[in-house]
Every structure is written in C-alpha cells, then in structure tokens.
C-alpha cells in the first residue's frame, strides 16, 4: 500500500502499465494541457478581464458575463484535451440540454477528480461555485476573487451571497463530500451542502460523474501520472431533481439531515 495514504485513496490495485512509451506520451500530452491552462488563466486575468470591465462596469453584470466567458473558454480547453486524447466526455444530448437550460438551481455532484468543476462550468453558462479560500493564493486567484464565492466567510453571510446570486438566475455548484471522492467508497456527505440549498430555497439538481479511473487527477495522486490504460473518460448523467417542498415544514436541523441523506442516496444510485 502507498505510504501515508488513506487506504480508500490507494492506487496499488491499478492495472500495470502495458506500453511504457505510449503511457509516457499520454503523460506528456496531459502536462501540455495543464501548461495551456496556466497560460490561459493569465490571459484571462490580465487581458480578457480588463476588456470585460470596459463593457460591464457593475460587479453583478461583470460576474454574470464573466461566468459565461469562463464557460466558453472551458469548452475550448476540454475540446483540446479531447483532441490530444487526454480525456473524452460522454453525455446525452438531453442531459447536456438540461444543464444548459438550468436557472437558479443548486447543482450537486460526486467529485472523483480535480477537473469535475471545469466540466460542469463548461455545460452551465451561468454557474457560481463555493471554492476553498486557499485558491485566493493560487494561480487562479484573480478569477476566484472576482467571480466566485469563497468558504472563508461566516456561514450565514455565505448563504446570503449564494441566495443573492441565484435570485439573479445563477446556478450554484456544490460537492457534498467537500473533497474529492476516494477511489474506493465515498466520503461522508457534509450537511453544509444541504444547509446552503435549504437556505437559498432553490431546487437541487444531482449530476453523477462516472467513467474510468481518474488516477493522476484524484486526491493524493501525482499530477505527473496518468490513467495507465488510456485517456480519462468522463460520463455525466443528470438525475431527477430534488425539490425543496418536502423539507419546508421540517425543523432546519432535521431538514438538513434528510436532504443530505437524499443527496447521498440519489448520487450513489447510479450503477456503472
């Protein structure tokens, strides 16, 4: 077993590499994509954002159009990953259209890799997200600070910000596990996701992310590594919405408990 790694995240059971030259070339293409992403992030912050500010002065208008711009850019980035055979996406036309048409909805999903939120952003034009405050010190800080909600606020303040954005038509992405899903099993679902959904009052849209092993993109993985057998495959399935009506007459603590259980049940109901 890998040293100092939670057994649930262990990758000792992954099938061995059969073709080392092909594997090394896939790793190289993956690193090219990450380099492209880094350069693109700097272009967004120092070139595209200033241009966007010339046309949309208010914070609300800038955020709305900034979200749409990020969605379009990520579609291009994921297309590049597909072109280089680093990853590919499988989603039905109906599910893709459902995500495209979402408005004022809380989107929840399991979280097998670091690219999950990028995929959902690419599907949903106007999506907000609660991100770790640590990202304000990272390469993407210039984007996070201007467009998204960080988790370093007081909880009630954070919920108020989420509700304000959603009342203007934005969707909110939340990963109920709070961190990346382990390779074996799941993490406990945090009640914070349910409390935020209940606090905003908007319906919840579960999305299941499946496919093959995401080794190299999971928690505790070496970013220089890659899936041993081929490109990453992302399978997206839109599940039935969870409406808030069934929880409105419950005590807030009980409502959060039941909603958390319902989130877990529906996301884990998908069998691949």
């Amino acid at each position: 077993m890998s040293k100092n790694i939670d057994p649930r995240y262990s990758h000792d059971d992954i099938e061995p590499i059969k073709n080392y030259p092909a594997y090394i070339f896939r790793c190289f293409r993956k690193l090219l994509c990450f380099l492209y992403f880094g350069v693109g992030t700097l272009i967004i912050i120092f070139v595209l954002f200033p241009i966007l500010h010339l046309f949309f002065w208010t914070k609300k208008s800038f955020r709305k159009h900034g979200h749409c711009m990020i969605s379009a850019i990520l579609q291009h980035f994921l297309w590049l990953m597909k072109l280089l055979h680093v990853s590919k996406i499988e989603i039905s036309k109906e599910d893709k259209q459902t995500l495209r048409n979402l408005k004022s909805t809380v989107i929840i999903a399991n979280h097998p890799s670091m690219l999950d939120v990028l995929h959902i952003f690419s599907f949903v034009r106007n999506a907000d997200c609660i991100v770790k405050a640590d990202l304000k010190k990272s390469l993407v800080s210039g984007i996070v600070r201007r467009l998204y909600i960080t988790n370093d606020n007081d909880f009630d303040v954070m919920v108020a910000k989420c509700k304000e954005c959603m009342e203007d038509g934005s969707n909110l992405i939340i990963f109920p596990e709070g961190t990346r899903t382990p390779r074996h099993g799941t993490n406990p679902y945090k009640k914070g996701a349910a409390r935020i959904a209940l606090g905003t009052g908007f319906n919840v849209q579960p999305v299941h992310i499946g496919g093959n092993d995401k080794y190299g993109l999971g928690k505790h993985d070496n970013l220089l590594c890659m899936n041993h057998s081929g490109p990453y495959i992302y399978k997206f399935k839109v599940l039935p919405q969870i409406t808030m009506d069934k929880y409105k007459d419950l005590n807030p603590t009980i409502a959060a408990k039941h909603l958390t259980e319902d989130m877990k049940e529906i996301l884990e109901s998908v069998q691949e």
Side-chain angles (χ1 to χ4, degrees):
M1 183 182 298
S2 303
K3 294 181 179 179
N4 302 321
I5 293 181
D6 185 326
R8 297 175 305 146
Y9 290 95
S10 172
H11 48 75
D12 292 347
D13 60 336
I14 296 178
E15 62 182 68
I17 300 170
K18 296 179 180 179
N19 187 330
Y20 272 91
Y23 173 74
I24 292 171
F25 189 41
R26 286 201 305 275
C27 292
F28 174 72
R29 296 197 302 266
K30 173 188 171 183
L31 292 177
L32 277 182
C33 289
F34 275 76
L35 177 62
Y36 184 85
F37 181 86
V39 173
T41 298
L42 295 177
I43 293 174
I44 292 171
I45 296 170
F46 295 109
V47 178
L48 298 183
F49 272 3
I51 293 174
L52 200 64
H53 268 300
L54 293 176
F55 298 95
F56 306 104
W57 299 341
T58 66
K59 183 176 180 180
K60 182 182 295 186
S61 179
F62 178 83
R63 282 171 57 89
K64 179 179 179 180
H65 290 88
H67 289 159
C68 293
M69 183 181 74
I70 293 297
S71 178
I73 291 173
L74 288 176
Q75 288 178 47
H76 169 75
F77 173 68
L78 295 172
W79 170 83
L80 175 66
M81 293 190 71
K82 179 181 178 181
L83 182 68
L84 295 178
H85 299 286
V86 174
S87 70
K88 66 178 183 177
I89 300 170
E90 295 181 12
I91 182 172
S92 69
K93 291 182 179 180
E94 294 78 11
D95 284 355
K96 193 171 185 179
Q97 194 61 42
T98 296
L99 292 176
R100 184 67 72 190
N101 293 334
L102 285 180
K103 184 177 181 181
S104 301
T105 305
V106 177
I107 302 169
I108 64 165
N110 55 314
H111 195 9
S113 83
M114 64 190 303
L115 298 183
D116 302 332
V117 70
L118 304 189
H119 283 86
I120 299 177
F121 277 144
S122 74
F123 296 136
V124 184
R125 287 194 180 94
N126 192 13
D128 212 324
C129 185
I130 298 174
V131 299
K132 293 182 179 180
D134 292 346
L135 290 179
K136 292 198 295 185
K137 301 176 183 179
S138 68
L139 176 65
V140 297
S141 62
I143 297 176
V144 168
R145 290 174 184 274
R146 299 181 191 182
L147 296 184
Y148 302 111
I149 300 168
T150 55
N151 63 0
D152 56 348
N153 293 297
D154 177 80
F155 186 81
D156 291 335
V157 172
M158 186 169 63
V159 172
K161 287 184 177 182
C162 293
K163 187 174 183 178
E164 180 183 357
C165 293
M166 296 184 72
E167 286 174 342
D168 290 328
S170 291
N171 300 287
L172 180 68
I173 302 171
I174 305 177
F175 297 105
E177 291 176 77
T179 187
R180 274 170 275 181
T181 307
R183 181 168 281 105
H184 309 286
T186 61
N187 291 306
Y189 278 44
K190 298 180 181 297
K191 292 182 182 178
R195 291 174 60 201
I196 292 171
L198 291 166
T200 63
F202 294 102
N203 290 343
V204 174
Q205 176 61 72
V207 178
H208 182 267
I209 304 173
N212 62 359
D213 194 276
K214 304 299 188 295
Y215 177 54
L217 297 174
K219 191 171 183 179
H220 304 303
D221 290 351
N222 188 332
L223 287 179
L224 297 178
C225 296
M226 178 77 183
N227 185 302
H228 287 185
S229 59
Y232 297 114
I233 299 175
Y234 283 86
K235 294 182 180 180
F236 290 87
K237 184 174 179 61
V238 175
L239 303 170
Q241 278 199 10
I242 302 173
T243 62
M244 293 297 102
D245 292 343
K246 62 184 292 188
Y247 310 101
K248 63 181 181 181
D249 295 326
L250 298 177
N251 173 278
T253 302
I254 300 299
K257 179 178 182 295
H258 287 332
L259 179 53
T260 300
E261 291 172 349
D262 290 344
M263 288 178 174
K264 181 179 177 67
E265 180 180 358
I266 195 168
L267 284 176
E268 294 183 358
S269 67
V270 178
Q271 301 294 325
E272 290 193 280

